[in-house]
Amino acid sequence: MKSTVVRHLALTIAAAAALLALTYGLEPFRNYQLATAAAYLCATAGLTVLTGLSGQLSLGHGALMATGAYPVALAQNEFRDRDISGGWVLPVSLSIGVATALVAGLVVGLAAARLRGPYLAGVTLAVAVIVPALTTAFDSVFNGDQGLSVYVAPPPMSLGYDFPYERWQAWIALTGALLVMFLLANLLRSRYGRHFRAVRDDEVAARLAGINVARTQVLAFVVSAACAGLGGGLLAVLAQSVSPGAFSLTLSLFLVMAVVIGGLGRLAGAAWGAVLLVLLPEASHSVTEALSLSPSAAQRLDGNLPLAIFGITLVAVMLLAPGGVQGLLSRAAGLRRRTRGWSDPGAERQHSAGR
Amino acid sequence: MQLKQVLAAGASVALVLAVAACGGDDGGGGGGAAVPGVTDTEVVVGTHMPLTGPASAGYSKIAPATKAYFDHVNANGGVHGRKITYKIMDDGYNPANTQQVVRQLVLQDKVFAILNGLGTGTHTGVLDFLASNRVPDLFVASGSRSWDQPDKYPGTFGFNPDYTVEGKILATYIQKNFPGQKVCFLGQDDDFGRDSLLGIEKILGATGVAVKQKYVTTEPNVAPQVGALKAGACQVVMLATVPPFTALTLGTAARLSFRPQWVVSNVGADYTTVAGRLGEAKGLLEGMLAVNYLPSQFDLDDPWTALFKKINDQYNGSAEFDGNIVYGMAVGYLFVQALQAAGKDLTREGIIEAVEKGGFRGPGLAPLRFSGDDHSGYGGQRMTKVTGTTQEYFGPIYETDEADGPVKEYADQPPAPPANGIPAA
């Protein structure tokens, strides 16, 4: 167990170094996309733990991101209004966001632990609908559809006057994402991770083995919601604004599709899903531009194409590669390894996750 | 093993992004001091618009109309030898998308300026980003007063008369023509609705509006609000609504047998758009009062309307001719005027200076007020009324300011358009 943590820590540090180098190599817009993908990764990784590893479906994760985002906005603006500044302000705001999402996750998780299948989907769907509606109901605080702008301090002067703002944003978001991945990787290798998988595979067997099924499920929900909350908070910081439109039901559905396409049940799949969420709208815009359609047809396609592509990709992935992008990759890697006489524990996991 | 896979995935992502980054960088500047988006033969500008989503009805036609006008200009040699390329991005009226697409336009596509970005809530979110990148943010498609803050946002200029100006003009008309009647209000729950109500109350007083209701675009049901207006026995109802919600409100009211006098904000009153939404029930629009400040799409004797119609047929695939098309083309005309005024050596500072110098006359009925300390757009409007299937102007043109200035008549008429439809330098 100890050695696992140490190994994960070493890997995380290596990843941080590689990503740091990457942020110096990318143009500002690509850094912004990288930052956005990192923010989404927090949420998709959390959802992977919930859906892929503990077997609970959530259609409300977009809304849980909102429960993390709004407190960050309120806290940041409050700090600014009181002229409080410093390097610790943003981490504190983000922690408040995570804590709020955690509480929301606990409430939903307690209900979820008593429900199965379509009933669970129904409750989480309600979360996705109700949370944005709350911003309208309490519009003196949340400013309705227009949302709130989020004050974010400029990069520290010690980085230099010309330091690109987008690189700074990428650093903030990547720090959050790496933290989430490190903690989740350790959690999954721990006793709790085994409990999650046991509950997912067979509740009765898990109960016979002495696992408290309900408590395990609630734990998975709380962890997952906290991750989503951090993702939402980071998104608010990146966009410097929060609004219900940013956390609509569509986002919740996109998150589910993203983790399925990325590869359900593995953290690496969550990374692919997050990248897809960022690149797809841009790709579809390029497609409509390249097609040189009549103005009205292009108009109609532009907004709807990402949805269509996402849907089609989802169907194709389900039919051709149930393990998602990551499943395909590790199958390829597994083949290579096997020829060198290695066994790949990941391949088995992928199999059970693909059911 | 999990984290190792993550690392592998991360590395692949890095590779993909790096490749994409290299691909996106195609040399850039065509000589001289590099002004983003400007070469000797081209100027690239971009916009964000709701091509899809709750506000797209009608509005989605604006940017293509502007583009069609630019195509007309390009076919006639462009401005100072430069063709105008207009990049239109869909943000679905969602501020989070606006953030993404505007960054793409500025950082990736390296546009010279953002032109006519649409939406109060959506555009508010990118003001700081545009200001800190010193991107000209010209002629925002919304009447929020936020665009008029030269100290904070030196590159941002409005286009629409602001909603407070509009509220004052509408309320003045009501005060004169419906004395003693009970006036009520339904508005969008953002700066649009709030600024509009502010203008109305400047004229009618804080107690002059009997029932005030609001809606959000994410909730397509206004029955409770309309019910409250009916219960309040409202006789004149002022609407600060986007077109789909104008249609929804009128339809809902008809179902509740509630028939007040409707007085609608310019942005939600285009007859063709709202009638299209109402379909069979478009008769509900009979008698609807509103305001406008651009040539009427129904008046083909107006030389501006005739010009825009011709360009629409030639370059916009004969899209259904409505107020949004006129609006989009008027924006295009103003932008070309600004480009002409900025001169051959086009820079970002140069165009901002040129706009601040002002003095633009074009299709608009009311004066444009641009100056060093005023970045708001048109300063007045004229009343319109729906009769049968047209929407026609009546009465004088009014102008006023967003503060407590009087609402007064404006006598000048717009000049005739140039023969080729392109403003001269």
Side-chain angles (χ1 to χ4, degrees), chain A residues 338-354:
Chain A
R338 216 159 292 146
T339 55
R340 295 202 317 221
W342 286 17
S343 73
D344 179 14
E348 285 159 51
R349 260 210 304 282
Q350 169 225 332
H351 195 72
S352 57

Side-chain angles (χ1 to χ4, degrees), chain A residues 7-8 11-12 15 22 26-30 32-34 36 136 139 143 145-146 166 169 181 185 238-240 243 245-246 266-268 272 275 282 285 289 295 299 302-303 326 349, chain B residues 1-7 9 12-14 17 20-21 25 51-52 60 64 87-90 94-96 99-100 103-104 107-108 121 124 129 189-191 194 214 216-218 316:
Chain A
R7 203 176 62 237
H8 284 165
L11 283 168
T12 306
L22 180 66
L26 290 180
E27 290 185 6
F29 179 61
R30 297 296 169 190
Y32 182 76
Q33 286 189 310
L34 181 65
T36 313
T136 304
D139 67 346
N143 199 21
D145 270 2
Q146 193 171 332
E166 285 73 22
Q169 291 180 309
M181 293 304 263
L238 296 180
Q240 295 173 48
S243 58
R266 9 214 14 223
L267 286 181
W272 288 114
V275 170
E282 195 200 341
H285 180 74
E289 250 187 0
Q299 244 175 61
D302 208 348
Q326 188 54 31
R349 260 210 304 282
Chain B
M1 279 305 110
Q2 285 274 343
L3 206 61
K4 205 181 242 174
Q5 292 161 5
V6 174
L7 253 189
S12 324
V13 170
L17 282 172
D25 184 21
L51 302 184
T52 56
S60 63
K87 290 183 174 273
I88 304 167
M89 303 292 275
D90 179 22
N94 174 348
Q99 291 287 339
Q100 185 84 24
R103 275 183 171 79
Q104 185 170 347
L107 300 174
Q108 172 83 347
T124 303
F129 170 76
D189 188 16
D190 57 17
D191 288 348
R194 286 190 282 264
K214 56 197 180 189
V216 293
T217 51
T218 43
N316 203 24

Side-chain angles (χ1 to χ4, degrees), chain B residues 4 31 43 51 69 87 106 113 131 286 296 307 332 337 340 352 359:
Chain B
K4 205 181 242 174
V43 50
L51 302 184
Y69 181 76
K87 290 183 174 273
V106 170
E286 183 66 32
S296 162
L307 170 71
Q337 281 184 309
Q340 296 279 23
I352 289 171

Side-chain angles (χ1 to χ4, degrees), chain A residues 253-285:
Chain A
L253 298 179
F254 267 165
L255 289 172
V256 175
M257 287 203 261
V259 296
V260 172
I261 293 173
L264 200 56
R266 9 214 14 223
L267 286 181
W272 288 114
V275 170
L276 222 58
L277 281 172
V278 173
L279 290 186
L280 206 67
E282 195 200 341
S284 72
H285 180 74

Side-chain angles (χ1 to χ4, degrees), chain A residues 46 49-51 53-56 61 105 109 187 196 214-226:
Chain A
V49 168
L50 185 71
T51 304
L53 291 153
S54 93
Q56 293 169 281
H61 255 52
L187 180 75
F196 288 165
R215 197 186 298 160
T216 305
Q217 287 179 326
V218 173
L219 178 70
F221 222 107
V222 167
V223 167
S224 177

